[in-house]
């Protein structure tokens, strides 16, 4: 018998839930700035439903924050000349 307490209900704010494009630990590149790359260390949802990413960029020693549309999966450059 259901308790009627609503624990299994989804409220309206959760209906529009979307997944982030990149996961923590994933290697990404900043497409807007010389393709600097780094690892995603945190994902933050914004009030408008998009995501921002904290990226540990190589060579800077600090986190940089990027909007999702500014990032892409890092391409391996092995063997590049």
């Amino acid at each position: 018998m259901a308790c009627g307490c609503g624990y299994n209900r989804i409220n309206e704010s959760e209906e529009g839930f979307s997944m982030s494009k990149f996961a923590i630990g994933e290697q990404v590149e900043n497409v807007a700035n010389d393709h600097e790359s780094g690892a995603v260390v945190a994902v933050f949802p914004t009030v408008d439903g998009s995501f921002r990413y904290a990226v540990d960029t190589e060579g800077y020693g600090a986190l940089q924050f990027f909007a999702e549309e500014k990032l892409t999966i890092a391409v391996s450059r092995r063997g590049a000349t």
Side-chain angles (χ1 to χ4, degrees):
M1 182 166 147
C3 70
C5 52
Y7 286 117
N8 294 325
R9 296 182 60 196
I10 297 174
N11 67 32
E12 291 85 36
S13 66
E14 293 172 334
E15 288 178 5
F17 178 76
S18 64
M19 299 290 292
S20 63
K21 185 175 180 181
F22 306 105
I24 292 173
E26 207 160 14
Q27 292 293 316
V28 294
E29 288 183 358
N30 176 4
V31 296
N33 187 11
D34 295 329
H35 293 274
E36 60 190 354
S37 62
V40 174
V41 295
V43 180
F44 302 96
T46 64
V47 294
D48 67 359
S50 61
F51 293 93
R52 297 247 188 256
Y53 299 86
V55 178
D56 185 5
T57 51
E58 298 167 2
Y60 288 96
L63 296 179
Q64 292 191 356
F65 294 85
F66 298 101
E68 191 168 77
E69 62 271 7
K70 301 292 184 188
L71 297 173
T72 187
I73 296 292
V75 178
S76 174
R77 292 193 167 90
R78 283 187 195 179
T81 57

